[in-house]
Amino acid sequence: MSLTFHWFLPTNGDSRHVVGGGHGTPATETGRDRPPTVGYLSQIARAAEDLGFVGALTPTGAWCEDAWLTTAMVSQRTERLKFLVAFRPGFVSPTLAAQMASTFQRQTGGRLLLNVVTGGESHEQRAYGDFLDKDARYRRTGEFLQIVRELWAGKTVDLHGEHLQVEDARLARVPEPVPQVYFGGSSPIAGEIAARHADVYLTWGEPPAQVAEKIAWIRALAAREGRAVRFGIRLHVITRDTSEQAWAEANRLLAGFDAETVASVQAGLARSESEGQRRMLALHGGGSRDRLEIHPNLWAGIGLVRGGAGTALVGSHDEVAERIQEYAALGIEEFVLSGYPHLEEAYWFGEGVLPRLQARGVWQHPLGRPTAPSAQVPFADAGRP
């Protein structure tokens, strides 16, 4: 079995510093350093597909560009890379969403993956006209995915649910292939919906022991539904030729977090209804800069100024490869990664870590290319004195 790696398209902007945003918090000023133009995002996407990443996640929310429109444009400047499009099922009808996915598959040659985001922040949902509470949103998501999956199977659908109703719904053309559904959530009802409908359950980067508990929880729920679910993890990465270089970069990023910004972001995130966000905050104590290495090579510093995924793998290429294998041993098959800036960090990981994983027999380039660990300074520093 070969592990699968995805990268990230920073549709909220990019920088050599951490760009905040997510879970109802606005993107920080650093997002203007490299605006999320189609040209720049396409650079990242082309680098990712050349290095061996299978797909790229695009976020959703008021703090970033629309994922559907952006990936549709970037797809025309790439050849193989898939797009893990995050979307909120309460904002569009299930029949239209199924049709959009089907169109995307035909126009890109089957390069769509779907990251279903129920929405953990009621105040942000209300800005879009959605006034359901959190549990109701998850129940609606279950109805939504039931409808969409039946439409993708070529069925005519009639459903009069608690939140959604469709009559005589049918697609003129079903998607080929059917998009894989990625789903995350740490609350009890999120686990129930994931067990019934997800192909891949995504967790944010918690320490291995906590990830193992989540995997066991979802596996048990899925087994009751007669299903099997794959598992993925969302992490940032800071990988360098030596451990000292990697931690120096982490400390450089940390030095750029001013106390006022950290306090403002943490106050906003503390109001989050997301159980996953609560677990992220607990990893660094709600804003503390002490003891941010919460497991060997797992750093919680990103979460000081960013909502959502707040941890990074930090270390030498060999150390990061070891941590990836540690998660893989638990059952994690897919890794959704990112780093600041996303163009350069894709090369650091792609040229430093992926060849080591290939040499260990746990990863293969999607095109079957042999790779070797680079003995030279990667793209990020090429040409510098």
Side-chain angles (χ1 to χ4, degrees):
M1 178 193 73
S2 176
L3 299 177
T4 299
F5 292 91
H6 307 282
W7 198 239
F8 185 85
L9 292 183
T11 56
N12 58 327
D14 203 5
S15 176
R16 291 185 180 275
H17 303 279
V18 175
V19 180
H23 276 263
T25 61
T28 55
E29 291 292 319
T30 51
R32 299 178 184 176
D33 293 352
R34 298 185 188 180
T37 63
V38 172
Y40 178 61
L41 296 175
S42 297
Q43 276 188 279
I44 297 171
R46 287 193 296 268
E49 69 179 2
D50 185 61
L51 289 164
F53 292 94
V54 169
L57 172 66
T58 50
T60 183
W63 52 282
C64 58
E65 298 287 2
D66 176 75
W68 283 105
L69 293 173
T70 302
T71 56
M73 289 183 277
V74 174
S75 73
Q76 301 308 296
R77 300 192 179 192
T78 52
E79 298 177 1
R80 300 173 302 277
L81 191 73
K82 297 181 180 181
F83 297 93
L84 182 50
V85 174
F87 80 105
R88 303 188 187 191
F91 296 167
V92 63
S93 82
T95 306
L96 178 58
Q99 182 183 16
M100 291 166 63
S102 184
T103 298
F104 200 111
Q105 289 296 67
R106 285 191 295 277
Q107 299 299 338
T108 64
R111 292 196 282 148
L112 176 66
L113 306 168
L114 287 177
N115 179 29
V116 177
V117 180
T118 296
E121 315 306 327
S122 290
H123 69 281
E124 187 176 18
Q125 296 292 124
R126 289 193 293 269
Y128 285 92
D130 179 13
F131 288 83
L132 294 181
D133 63 27
K134 180 182 173 183
D135 281 3
R137 291 197 296 269
Y138 273 106
R139 293 195 299 272
R140 180 182 59 194
T141 294
E143 294 176 2
F144 182 97
L145 290 173
Q146 178 184 342
I147 294 168
V148 166
R149 284 200 177 277
E150 290 184 6
L151 289 170
W152 286 344
K155 298 179 181 179
T156 299
V157 183
D158 290 282
L159 179 73
H160 294 269
E162 178 186 1
H163 301 287
L164 298 176
Q165 298 184 39
V166 296
E167 292 183 0
D168 199 29
R170 186 177 179 86
L171 294 183
R173 301 175 68 183
V174 299
E176 178 59 44
V178 171
Q180 294 283 288
V181 172
Y182 291 66
F183 193 94
S186 300
S187 63
I189 192 168
E192 294 175 15
I193 301 302
R196 291 180 196 141
H197 298 287
D199 296 302
V200 179
Y201 176 82
L202 283 177
T203 178
W204 287 330
E206 298 179 4
Q210 293 174 235
V211 171
E213 292 174 357
K214 275 192 172 181
I215 290 174
W217 169 51
I218 296 296
R219 273 184 176 156
L221 291 175
R224 295 176 197 170
E225 301 289 336
R227 302 183 69 244
V229 177
R230 303 197 312 279
F231 295 92
I233 193 167
R234 172 78 179 93
L235 287 158
H236 304 276
V237 286
I238 303 173
T239 178
R240 295 293 186 270
D241 296 333
T242 68
S243 182
E244 291 77 16
Q245 290 170 346
W247 284 107
E249 176 64 10
N251 288 326
R252 183 191 70 81
L253 292 175
L254 184 62
F257 302 168
D258 64 87
E260 182 179 350
T261 298
V262 172
S264 175
V265 170
Q266 292 303 305
L269 295 177
R271 296 190 294 269
S272 174
E273 300 171 13
S274 166
E275 176 64 16
Q277 184 63 69
R278 184 194 66 76
R279 292 168 70 101
M280 281 285 106
L281 295 179
L283 295 178
H284 56 66
S288 172
R289 296 176 185 241
D290 300 328
R291 296 186 295 277
L292 288 173
E293 189 177 7
I294 56 177
H295 181 77
N297 306 109
L298 184 64
W299 185 61
I302 301 291
L304 295 178
V305 294
R306 184 191 191 279
T311 53
L313 294 179
V314 181
S316 68
H317 304 313
D318 283 317
E319 289 172 335
V320 171
E322 289 168 4
R323 295 289 78 74
I324 285 171
Q325 288 191 271
E326 183 177 6
Y327 281 113
L330 302 177
I332 297 293
E333 300 179 38
E334 304 200 18
F335 294 78
V336 183
L337 307 175
S338 58
Y340 300 97
H342 289 75
L343 180 60
E344 288 90 332
E345 289 297 337
Y347 279 95
W348 277 113
F349 186 87
E351 295 179 347
V353 179
L354 288 180
R356 285 165 168 80
L357 293 173
Q358 186 173 47
R360 299 178 188 196
V362 297
W363 176 79
Q364 294 179 350
H365 194 289
L367 296 182
R369 295 176 183 170
T371 60
S374 175
Q376 300 178 342
V377 177
F379 169 89
D381 282 350
R384 293 186 184 178

